[in-house]
Amino acid sequence: MTELEKCMESLITIFHRYAGEDGDGKTLSKKELSKLIETELPSFLQAQNDPKAVEKIRKDLDQNGDSKVDFEEFLSLVVGLSLSCEKCFVLHAQKKCRK
Ligand SMILES: [Ca+2]
Ligand SMILES: [Ca+2]
């Protein structure tokens, strides 16, 4: 597999690893989303510096308002984070990356 194919497979695997815990493998409940973010994105969570960060993220992600995060909604988190990482990466390359 190529690197990009592995990335896509990882995203799918990680989503389903957490989504399946309550028996409904199609969506992440509040608890499952918190666990996913705490386990898989610890430095992102620390950078937020906000105890309600996960709750805010969940509300932002939940576009159809069912209080759960499906794979499509999860992808928008990944896309959003990747966009800010890429920006930082470009800035860093110009030695201007500041927090
Ligand atoms: Ca679930
Ligand atoms: Ca939803």
Side-chain angles (χ1 to χ4, degrees):
M1 277 205 290
T2 68
E3 212 168 324
L4 185 58
E5 284 168 340
K6 279 184 214 156
C7 281
M8 294 190 283
E9 196 192 26
S10 302
L11 285 175
I12 297 168
T13 310
I14 289 167
F15 178 83
H16 286 286
R17 184 180 301 156
Y18 293 89
E21 283 189 12
D22 65 352
D24 175 9
K26 284 186 185 146
T27 53
L28 293 162
S29 64
K30 276 186 199 183
K31 209 174 141 191
E32 289 167 341
L33 181 69
S34 308
K35 199 170 169 195
L36 187 154
I37 294 176
E38 281 163 17
T39 315
E40 305 293 339
L41 297 164
S43 37
F44 162 71
L45 199 58
Q46 267 174 15
Q48 297 293 305
N49 200 17
D50 179 354
K52 287 186 178 165
V54 174
E55 185 64 17
K56 283 183 188 162
I57 294 164
R58 191 182 56 80
K59 279 184 184 157
D60 279 350
L61 292 180
D62 186 16
Q63 288 179 358
N64 61 3
D66 64 357
S67 310
K68 290 175 181 171
V69 172
D70 60 28
F71 187 64
E72 201 180 325
E73 291 166 343
F74 168 70
L75 280 185
S76 60
L77 170 67
V78 177
V79 170
L81 284 177
S82 306
L83 283 172
S84 27
C85 287
E86 199 266 347
K87 240 180 236 170
C88 199
F89 181 81
V90 172
L91 284 174
H92 196 70
Q94 300 168 343
K95 296 189 176 173
K96 280 179 189 168
C97 191
R98 288 194 213 112
K99 269 202 171 172

XYZ file of all heavy atoms in Angstrom:
787
model
N 0.825 -1.211 0.000
C 0.000 0.000 0.000
C 0.857 1.259 0.000
O 1.943 1.278 0.583
C -0.889 0.022 1.251
C -2.164 -0.782 1.105
S -3.442 -0.169 2.209
C -2.780 -0.654 3.778
N 0.332 2.301 -0.603
C 1.053 3.573 -0.580
C 0.841 4.265 0.762
O -0.027 3.883 1.548
C 0.545 4.522 -1.688
O -0.788 4.920 -1.354
C 0.562 3.853 -3.054
N 1.608 5.304 0.988
C 1.505 6.043 2.238
C 0.107 6.638 2.422
O -0.465 6.605 3.513
C 2.547 7.159 2.224
C 3.080 7.482 3.592
C 4.309 8.378 3.520
O 5.108 8.219 2.580
O 4.435 9.232 4.378
N -0.443 7.172 1.329
C -1.759 7.794 1.414
C -2.842 6.747 1.688
O -3.761 6.971 2.477
C -2.069 8.556 0.112
C -3.361 9.362 0.105
C -3.401 10.399 1.223
C -3.559 10.055 -1.238
N -2.698 5.604 1.046
C -3.664 4.518 1.300
C -3.607 4.062 2.755
O -4.639 3.796 3.370
C -3.392 3.333 0.354
C -3.874 3.591 -1.062
C -3.358 2.559 -2.065
O -2.362 1.880 -1.768
O -3.951 2.452 -3.144
N -2.397 4.012 3.295
C -2.248 3.639 4.705
C -2.903 4.670 5.614
O -3.525 4.331 6.614
C -0.764 3.507 5.068
C -0.163 2.189 4.676
C 1.280 2.114 5.171
C 2.125 1.331 4.194
N 3.549 1.678 4.272
N -2.758 5.949 5.251
C -3.387 7.022 6.032
C -4.895 6.846 6.068
O -5.516 6.959 7.114
C -3.104 8.387 5.405
S -1.502 9.004 5.775
N -5.468 6.579 4.906
C -6.928 6.430 4.833
C -7.367 5.226 5.644
O -8.351 5.274 6.371
C -7.366 6.314 3.370
C -7.109 7.591 2.597
S -7.848 7.630 0.953
C -6.740 6.595 0.037
N -6.594 4.141 5.533
C -6.935 2.952 6.301
C -6.860 3.233 7.802
O -7.722 2.801 8.571
C -5.999 1.790 5.929
C -6.554 0.465 6.394
C -5.545 -0.674 6.301
O -4.333 -0.408 6.361
O -5.987 -1.826 6.188
N -5.838 4.000 8.207
C -5.708 4.339 9.624
C -6.904 5.126 10.124
O -7.417 4.867 11.207
C -4.454 5.169 9.876
O -3.326 4.480 9.456
N -7.341 6.102 9.331
C -8.487 6.912 9.744
C -9.714 6.039 9.976
O -10.419 6.182 10.970
C -8.819 7.956 8.663
C -7.875 9.147 8.581
C -8.256 10.027 7.399
C -7.924 9.951 9.860
N -9.935 5.125 9.040
C -11.096 4.241 9.146
C -10.949 3.316 10.357
O -11.882 3.153 11.150
C -11.253 3.424 7.836
C -11.524 4.388 6.675
C -12.378 2.405 7.967
C -11.401 3.755 5.307
N -9.756 2.750 10.522
C -9.528 1.831 11.643
C -9.716 2.536 12.980
O -10.367 2.010 13.883
C -8.080 1.266 11.584
O -7.851 0.768 10.270
C -7.879 0.155 12.583
N -9.151 3.734 13.105
C -9.247 4.465 14.367
C -10.695 4.829 14.665
O -11.174 4.637 15.784
C -8.348 5.730 14.340
C -6.889 5.300 14.405
C -8.681 6.665 15.494
C -5.894 6.379 14.082
N -11.411 5.312 13.654
C -12.818 5.655 13.880
C -13.580 4.454 14.419
O -14.282 4.536 15.429
C -13.463 6.149 12.571
C -14.926 6.477 12.718
C -15.323 7.713 13.206
C -15.899 5.546 12.381
C -16.673 8.012 13.364
C -17.251 5.838 12.537
C -17.634 7.075 13.023
N -13.416 3.307 13.779
C -14.197 2.135 14.174
C -13.729 1.520 15.487
O -14.519 0.908 16.200
C -14.210 1.096 13.044
C -15.102 1.527 11.922
N -16.470 1.496 12.016
C -14.818 2.056 10.707
C -16.991 1.971 10.889
N -16.010 2.321 10.074
N -12.454 1.715 15.818
C -11.938 1.211 17.096
C -12.716 1.837 18.251
O -13.057 1.185 19.220
C -10.452 1.549 17.211
C -9.803 0.983 18.477
C -8.338 1.361 18.535
N -7.613 0.866 17.363
C -6.485 1.414 16.909
N -5.974 2.470 17.504
N -5.878 0.917 15.856
N -13.011 3.150 18.130
C -13.701 3.847 19.213
C -15.219 3.803 19.041
O -15.957 3.740 20.021
C -13.215 5.302 19.304
C -11.772 5.366 19.742
C -10.741 5.327 18.812
C -11.453 5.398 21.087
C -9.417 5.336 19.212
C -10.126 5.408 21.501
C -9.112 5.376 20.550
O -7.802 5.375 20.951
N -15.667 3.833 17.791
C -17.112 3.912 17.544
C -17.844 2.651 17.997
O -19.009 2.711 18.376
C -17.374 4.158 16.061
N -17.173 1.512 17.991
C -17.851 0.255 18.273
C -18.094 -0.048 19.739
O -18.762 -1.020 20.069
N -17.575 0.786 20.627
C -17.607 0.433 22.045
C -19.011 0.311 22.646
O -19.219 -0.465 23.564
C -16.774 1.426 22.862
C -15.298 1.116 22.706
C -14.424 1.924 23.648
O -14.956 2.554 24.576
O -13.209 1.900 23.447
N -19.960 1.098 22.154
C -21.312 1.021 22.718
C -22.248 0.173 21.864
O -23.457 0.180 22.058
C -21.901 2.429 22.908
C -22.101 3.140 21.572
O -21.646 2.620 20.534
O -22.712 4.222 21.574
N -21.676 -0.567 20.920
C -22.511 -1.450 20.098
C -22.998 -0.797 18.817
O -23.423 -1.476 17.899
N -22.944 0.544 18.754
C -23.301 1.240 17.526
C -22.012 1.711 16.855
O -21.466 2.757 17.197
C -24.216 2.430 17.844
C -24.516 3.269 16.600
O -24.163 2.823 15.488
O -25.089 4.361 16.736
N -21.539 0.919 15.907
C -20.245 1.183 15.287
C -20.262 2.263 14.222
O -19.230 2.595 13.650
N -21.448 2.828 13.937
C -21.511 3.830 12.871
C -21.236 5.229 13.365
O -20.913 6.121 12.581
C -22.901 3.793 12.213
C -23.050 2.599 11.293
C -24.364 2.666 10.540
C -24.553 1.404 9.711
N -25.955 1.010 9.614
N -21.395 5.440 14.681
C -21.209 6.792 15.206
C -20.407 6.764 16.501
O -20.359 5.759 17.206
C -22.573 7.463 15.522
O -23.317 6.590 16.369
C -23.350 7.753 14.262
N -19.797 7.906 16.800
C -19.104 8.101 18.069
C -20.051 8.817 19.021
O -20.545 9.903 18.708
C -17.864 8.974 17.870
C -16.712 8.405 17.037
C -15.798 9.536 16.588
C -15.933 7.374 17.819
N -20.308 8.195 20.172
C -21.092 8.885 21.205
C -20.176 9.919 21.858
O -18.981 9.972 21.585
C -21.581 7.879 22.240
O -20.458 7.325 22.902
N -20.764 10.721 22.774
C -19.962 11.710 23.503
C -18.748 11.066 24.131
O -17.628 11.554 24.039
C -20.797 12.300 24.648
C -21.695 13.417 24.258
C -22.326 13.992 25.523
C -23.574 14.779 25.163
N -24.188 15.415 26.330
N -19.010 9.939 24.824
C -17.956 9.250 25.559
C -16.876 8.721 24.601
O -15.681 8.848 24.866
C -18.590 8.085 26.322
C -17.891 7.718 27.593
C -18.704 6.648 28.322
C -17.776 5.627 28.945
N -18.527 4.446 29.429
N -17.333 8.142 23.502
C -16.384 7.577 22.538
C -15.534 8.671 21.898
O -14.332 8.499 21.707
C -17.143 6.793 21.463
C -17.741 5.499 21.989
C -18.755 4.877 21.037
O -19.266 5.595 20.139
O -19.051 3.695 21.190
N -16.161 9.801 21.573
C -15.415 10.906 20.973
C -14.374 11.452 21.953
O -13.225 11.691 21.568
C -16.360 12.026 20.522
C -15.659 13.216 19.860
C -15.085 12.845 18.509
C -16.587 14.415 19.716
N -14.778 11.615 23.233
C -13.821 12.105 24.232
C -12.625 11.181 24.311
O -11.473 11.629 24.343
C -14.450 12.149 25.629
O -15.643 12.835 25.599
N -12.908 9.879 24.345
C -11.822 8.910 24.466
C -10.909 8.968 23.242
O -9.686 8.930 23.370
C -12.416 7.510 24.629
C -11.433 6.536 25.206
C -12.107 5.234 25.585
C -11.073 4.177 25.916
N -11.665 2.833 25.950
N -11.511 9.081 22.067
C -10.714 9.142 20.841
C -9.791 10.363 20.865
O -8.595 10.257 20.610
C -11.642 9.193 19.620
C -10.986 9.104 18.234
C -11.975 8.541 17.226
C -10.468 10.428 17.721
N -10.365 11.526 21.206
C -9.557 12.750 21.202
C -8.475 12.691 22.287
O -7.321 13.029 22.030
C -10.455 13.998 21.381
C -11.363 14.145 20.155
C -9.615 15.263 21.568
C -12.348 15.280 20.242
N -8.862 12.211 23.492
C -7.880 12.136 24.578
C -6.742 11.169 24.258
O -5.598 11.404 24.616
C -8.572 11.698 25.876
C -9.304 12.839 26.553
C -10.313 12.346 27.586
O -10.223 11.175 28.004
O -11.194 13.141 27.960
N -7.085 10.067 23.592
C -6.072 9.043 23.328
C -5.260 9.338 22.067
O -4.041 9.163 22.051
C -6.739 7.662 23.161
O -7.710 7.505 24.192
C -5.726 6.547 23.252
N -5.957 9.773 21.023
C -5.291 9.895 19.723
C -4.762 11.306 19.451
O -3.911 11.486 18.583
C -6.248 9.493 18.590
C -6.864 8.108 18.735
C -5.836 6.983 18.615
O -4.754 7.221 18.038
O -6.116 5.880 19.110
N -5.313 12.313 20.162
C -4.889 13.688 19.884
C -4.503 14.415 21.173
O -4.976 15.536 21.421
C -6.030 14.453 19.182
C -6.469 13.945 17.812
C -7.820 14.520 17.429
C -5.442 14.289 16.754
N -3.663 13.821 22.024
C -3.374 14.433 23.325
C -2.713 15.812 23.223
O -3.055 16.710 23.990
C -2.452 13.417 24.014
C -1.903 12.580 22.916
C -2.934 12.555 21.838
N -1.816 15.993 22.266
C -1.135 17.295 22.208
C -2.068 18.376 21.679
O -2.016 19.529 22.103
C 0.142 17.220 21.366
O -0.025 16.382 20.276
N -2.961 17.972 20.780
C -3.975 18.915 20.292
C -4.855 19.368 21.447
O -5.136 20.558 21.607
C -4.822 18.236 19.202
C -6.137 18.910 18.937
C -6.196 20.141 18.299
C -7.323 18.308 19.320
C -7.411 20.768 18.053
C -8.542 18.928 19.078
C -8.578 20.154 18.457
N -5.258 18.407 22.288
C -6.137 18.716 23.410
C -5.441 19.635 24.410
O -6.040 20.580 24.924
C -6.568 17.413 24.090
C -7.806 17.496 24.977
C -9.010 17.984 24.193
C -8.098 16.150 25.612
N -4.154 19.373 24.667
C -3.390 20.220 25.576
C -3.289 21.643 25.056
O -3.421 22.599 25.810
C -1.981 19.657 25.757
C -1.887 18.733 26.956
C -0.518 18.069 27.042
O 0.435 18.504 26.383
N -0.429 17.021 27.831
N -3.086 21.754 23.752
C -2.949 23.079 23.144
C -4.234 23.888 23.272
O -4.205 25.117 23.298
C -2.544 22.941 21.677
N -5.383 23.186 23.340
C -6.665 23.883 23.487
C -6.746 24.594 24.831
O -7.349 25.646 24.949
C -7.835 22.894 23.387
C -7.942 22.198 22.047
C -8.295 23.145 20.931
O -9.303 23.851 21.004
N -7.466 23.206 19.915
N -6.143 23.949 25.859
C -6.107 24.527 27.197
C -7.502 24.932 27.686
O -7.717 26.032 28.187
C -5.164 25.744 27.191
C -4.711 26.088 28.592
O -4.837 25.250 29.499
N -4.209 27.279 28.783
N -8.460 24.054 27.504
C -9.850 24.351 27.848
C -10.528 23.045 28.249
O -10.593 22.110 27.461
C -10.537 24.956 26.608
C -12.011 25.267 26.871
O -12.534 24.913 27.947
O -12.629 25.858 25.975
N -11.014 22.962 29.501
C -11.639 21.710 29.948
C -12.881 21.350 29.128
O -13.296 20.186 29.108
C -12.009 21.989 31.413
C -11.921 23.464 31.593
C -10.951 23.977 30.569
N -13.475 22.346 28.482
C -14.667 22.059 27.687
C -14.351 21.874 26.201
O -15.259 21.864 25.363
C -15.686 23.185 27.853
C -16.347 23.161 29.219
C -17.450 24.201 29.286
C -18.136 24.135 30.643
N -18.961 25.334 30.889
N -13.080 21.737 25.874
C -12.667 21.658 24.474
C -13.377 20.529 23.724
O -13.893 20.742 22.623
C -11.161 21.493 24.374
N -13.431 19.351 24.360
C -14.027 18.205 23.673
C -15.508 18.465 23.368
O -15.994 18.154 22.281
C -13.865 16.916 24.521
C -14.606 15.753 23.885
C -12.397 16.568 24.673
N -16.186 19.056 24.344
C -17.612 19.366 24.178
C -17.814 20.362 23.021
O -18.696 20.201 22.187
C -18.130 19.941 25.503
C -19.617 20.201 25.563
C -20.458 18.938 25.439
O -19.925 17.828 25.628
O -21.654 19.077 25.130
N -16.950 21.361 22.976
C -17.041 22.360 21.898
C -16.786 21.715 20.539
O -17.482 22.003 19.567
C -16.037 23.483 22.127
C -16.486 24.445 23.198
C -15.480 25.593 23.325
C -15.803 26.464 24.536
N -14.658 27.282 24.935
N -15.765 20.859 20.507
C -15.431 20.191 19.254
C -16.611 19.351 18.789
O -16.995 19.362 17.624
C -14.180 19.294 19.442
C -12.955 20.160 19.736
C -13.929 18.429 18.213
C -11.786 19.378 20.296
N -17.226 18.639 19.746
C -18.342 17.763 19.389
C -19.495 18.572 18.784
O -20.089 18.185 17.791
C -18.826 16.976 20.598
C -19.793 15.862 20.247
C -20.298 15.139 21.476
N -20.918 16.043 22.427
C -22.166 16.510 22.306
N -22.915 16.135 21.315
N -22.659 17.353 23.198
N -19.774 19.711 19.397
C -20.868 20.543 18.875
C -20.554 21.065 17.479
O -21.423 21.126 16.625
C -21.148 21.707 19.825
C -22.005 21.272 20.999
C -22.369 22.453 21.880
C -23.134 21.969 23.098
N -23.054 22.911 24.214
N -19.302 21.452 17.287
C -18.887 21.928 15.963
C -19.017 20.831 14.916
O -19.414 21.075 13.785
C -17.422 22.379 15.982
C -17.282 23.785 16.531
O -18.319 24.443 16.709
O -16.143 24.211 16.771
N -18.649 19.620 15.324
C -18.612 18.523 14.362
C -19.990 18.000 14.021
O -20.239 17.551 12.898
C -17.782 17.361 14.919
C -16.289 17.602 15.072
C -15.638 16.351 15.630
C -15.663 17.964 13.744
N -20.886 18.046 14.995
C -22.182 17.395 14.845
C -23.112 18.204 13.943
O -23.930 18.978 14.404
C -22.812 17.203 16.221
C -24.088 16.400 16.137
O -24.316 15.746 15.095
O -24.863 16.443 17.100
N -22.946 18.004 12.650
C -23.694 18.847 11.709
C -25.157 18.470 11.568
O -25.980 19.304 11.242
C -23.001 18.834 10.342
C -21.707 19.629 10.425
C -20.940 19.666 9.127
O -21.346 19.073 8.138
N -19.827 20.359 9.134
N -25.496 17.201 11.802
C -26.910 16.833 11.681
C -27.636 16.843 13.031
O -28.793 16.464 13.132
C -27.074 15.479 10.969
C -26.404 14.341 11.732
O -25.871 14.546 12.824
N -26.442 13.159 11.167
N -26.920 17.273 14.092
C -27.564 17.509 15.374
C -28.083 16.280 16.105
O -29.001 16.391 16.901
N -27.493 15.101 15.879
C -27.971 13.917 16.600
C -27.116 13.592 17.829
O -27.232 12.506 18.402
C -28.053 12.696 15.658
C -26.682 12.280 15.123
O -25.691 12.971 15.427
O -26.606 11.272 14.423
N -26.273 14.540 18.252
C -25.386 14.391 19.414
C -24.321 13.321 19.239
O -23.647 12.948 20.192
C -26.144 14.074 20.708
O -27.175 14.949 20.884
N -24.222 12.780 18.050
C -23.193 11.780 17.791
C -22.374 12.209 16.592
O -22.813 13.032 15.795
C -23.836 10.418 17.518
C -24.453 9.844 18.773
C -25.176 8.571 18.465
C -25.801 8.027 19.745
N -26.686 6.915 19.482
N -21.189 11.638 16.494
C -20.302 12.011 15.398
C -20.125 10.812 14.473
O -19.601 9.781 14.883
C -18.938 12.482 15.964
C -17.937 12.695 14.849
C -19.126 13.777 16.754
N -20.617 10.934 13.240
C -20.440 9.837 12.283
C -19.103 10.008 11.543
O -18.366 10.973 11.782
C -21.636 9.733 11.321
C -21.847 10.995 10.515
O -20.868 11.724 10.268
O -23.001 11.257 10.114
N -18.816 9.082 10.656
C -17.494 9.088 10.014
C -17.262 10.366 9.222
O -16.169 10.937 9.246
C -17.333 7.844 9.125
C -15.942 7.694 8.575
C -14.862 7.487 9.415
C -15.709 7.771 7.210
C -13.563 7.371 8.923
C -14.419 7.642 6.707
C -13.344 7.446 7.567
N -18.308 10.827 8.546
C -18.185 12.050 7.762
C -17.864 13.242 8.665
O -17.006 14.076 8.340
C -19.499 12.282 7.012
C -19.348 13.182 5.821
C -20.682 13.374 5.111
O -21.489 12.430 5.076
O -20.904 14.486 4.615
N -18.549 13.307 9.787
C -18.316 14.405 10.730
C -16.925 14.288 11.357
O -16.246 15.303 11.571
C -19.424 14.412 11.801
C -20.775 14.808 11.239
C -21.947 14.507 12.156
O -21.807 13.711 13.105
O -23.027 15.059 11.914
N -16.509 13.062 11.616
C -15.150 12.814 12.143
C -14.099 13.296 11.138
O -13.091 13.902 11.512
C -14.988 11.318 12.439
C -13.576 10.870 12.707
C -12.913 11.244 13.862
C -12.919 10.053 11.795
C -11.610 10.811 14.117
C -11.622 9.617 12.041
C -10.966 10.003 13.198
N -14.367 13.053 9.861
C -13.415 13.485 8.830
C -13.240 14.993 8.818
O -12.145 15.487 8.554
C -13.868 13.007 7.448
C -13.555 11.556 7.089
C -13.953 11.292 5.651
C -12.083 11.222 7.300
N -14.316 15.734 9.128
C -14.163 17.194 9.115
C -13.232 17.646 10.245
O -12.553 18.658 10.117
C -15.510 17.914 9.136
O -16.235 17.578 10.274
N -13.191 16.883 11.342
C -12.209 17.179 12.395
C -10.787 16.967 11.868
O -9.910 17.815 12.038
C -12.450 16.267 13.608
C -11.379 16.278 14.710
C -11.326 17.613 15.426
C -11.605 15.157 15.714
N -10.597 15.829 11.202
C -9.272 15.500 10.668
C -8.852 16.532 9.621
O -7.710 17.003 9.619
C -9.276 14.077 10.059
C -7.923 13.750 9.446
C -9.634 13.048 11.121
N -9.789 16.893 8.761
C -9.488 17.876 7.713
C -9.137 19.228 8.348
O -8.137 19.852 7.985
C -10.686 18.034 6.740
C -10.488 19.216 5.810
C -10.873 16.760 5.945
N -9.940 19.646 9.330
C -9.697 20.918 10.004
C -8.325 20.951 10.658
O -7.583 21.916 10.527
N -8.009 19.867 11.361
C -6.703 19.792 12.033
C -5.569 19.761 11.028
O -4.540 20.401 11.225
C -6.636 18.544 12.912
C -7.385 18.603 14.230
C -7.295 17.278 14.949
C -6.806 19.703 15.104
N -5.775 19.011 9.953
C -4.721 18.922 8.941
C -4.469 20.278 8.318
O -3.315 20.652 8.052
C -5.108 17.926 7.841
O -5.431 16.690 8.409
N -5.553 21.041 8.096
C -5.400 22.376 7.520
C -4.567 23.266 8.433
O -3.657 23.953 7.970
C -6.776 23.015 7.285
C -7.543 22.508 6.068
C -8.947 23.077 6.063
C -6.821 22.879 4.783
N -4.875 23.230 9.749
C -4.090 24.103 10.627
C -2.655 23.596 10.769
O -1.734 24.400 10.889
C -4.751 24.309 11.996
O -5.553 23.247 12.349
N -2.463 22.289 10.754
C -1.092 21.760 10.810
C -0.295 22.182 9.588
O 0.875 22.548 9.685
C -1.103 20.231 10.854
S -1.620 19.577 12.419
N -0.957 22.132 8.450
C -0.257 22.472 7.207
C 0.133 23.946 7.211
O 1.233 24.316 6.811
C -1.136 22.131 6.002
C -0.374 22.010 4.690
C -0.341 23.286 3.883
O -1.106 24.222 4.188
O 0.452 23.375 2.947
N -0.767 24.795 7.712
C -0.487 26.224 7.820
C 0.730 26.446 8.695
O 1.641 27.197 8.376
C -1.690 26.930 8.448
C -2.302 27.984 7.556
C -3.481 28.610 8.264
C -4.729 28.488 7.413
N -5.937 28.867 8.151
N 0.710 25.743 9.840
C 1.808 25.855 10.796
C 3.108 25.354 10.172
O 4.168 25.933 10.364
C 1.470 25.043 12.035
S 2.425 25.499 13.462
N 2.966 24.268 9.421
C 4.125 23.677 8.759
C 4.746 24.666 7.773
O 5.952 24.875 7.752
C 3.679 22.401 8.024
C 4.786 21.673 7.322
C 5.634 20.821 8.023
C 4.970 21.819 5.956
C 6.647 20.145 7.366
C 5.986 21.141 5.298
C 6.824 20.312 6.002
N 3.904 25.328 6.997
C 4.378 26.316 6.024
C 5.018 27.493 6.749
O 6.107 27.941 6.402
C 3.208 26.809 5.119
C 3.654 27.975 4.255
C 2.702 25.670 4.255
N 4.329 27.969 7.811
C 4.873 29.082 8.589
C 6.205 28.705 9.210
O 7.149 29.489 9.236
C 3.890 29.470 9.699
C 2.660 30.268 9.271
C 1.723 30.438 10.443
C 3.057 31.612 8.712
N 6.245 27.471 9.723
C 7.451 26.999 10.376
C 8.611 26.979 9.383
O 9.743 27.328 9.732
C 7.218 25.604 10.956
C 8.248 25.215 11.952
N 8.330 25.803 13.197
C 9.246 24.305 11.901
C 9.342 25.270 13.855
N 9.913 24.358 13.107
N 8.293 26.582 8.173
C 9.307 26.551 7.124
C 9.859 27.956 6.886
O 11.004 28.138 6.507
C 8.715 25.973 5.849
N 8.992 28.949 7.153
C 9.456 30.340 7.001
C 9.961 30.902 8.325
O 10.187 32.099 8.458
C 8.294 31.209 6.495
C 7.756 30.772 5.165
C 6.418 31.453 4.822
O 5.742 32.000 5.705
N 6.035 31.420 3.564
N 10.066 30.035 9.326
C 10.518 30.402 10.667
C 9.664 31.506 11.291
O 10.150 32.414 11.948
C 11.996 30.820 10.646
C 12.869 29.664 10.243
C 14.316 29.969 10.411
C 15.153 28.740 10.079
N 16.557 28.964 10.066
N 8.368 31.383 11.096
C 7.474 32.374 11.695
C 6.394 31.705 12.547
O 5.424 32.342 12.904
C 6.791 33.195 10.605
C 7.661 34.292 10.037
C 6.901 35.027 8.963
C 7.812 35.995 8.225
N 7.160 36.488 7.008
N 6.567 30.426 12.829
C 5.522 29.709 13.534
C 5.477 30.153 15.003
O 6.400 29.930 15.750
C 5.747 28.216 13.457
S 4.343 27.276 14.043
N 4.381 30.786 15.370
C 4.201 31.205 16.763
C 2.896 30.661 17.291
O 1.951 30.468 16.535
C 4.181 32.730 16.844
C 5.521 33.327 16.610
C 5.497 34.785 17.031
N 6.398 35.550 16.148
C 5.973 36.445 15.273
N 4.702 36.690 15.157
N 6.835 37.098 14.529
N 2.846 30.522 18.619
C 1.595 30.026 19.213
C 0.736 31.192 19.637
O 1.245 32.199 20.072
C 1.892 29.139 20.410
C 2.006 27.718 19.949
C 1.759 26.758 21.106
C 1.656 25.355 20.540
N 1.600 24.370 21.586
Ca -20.695 4.144 19.010
Ca -24.006 13.801 13.973
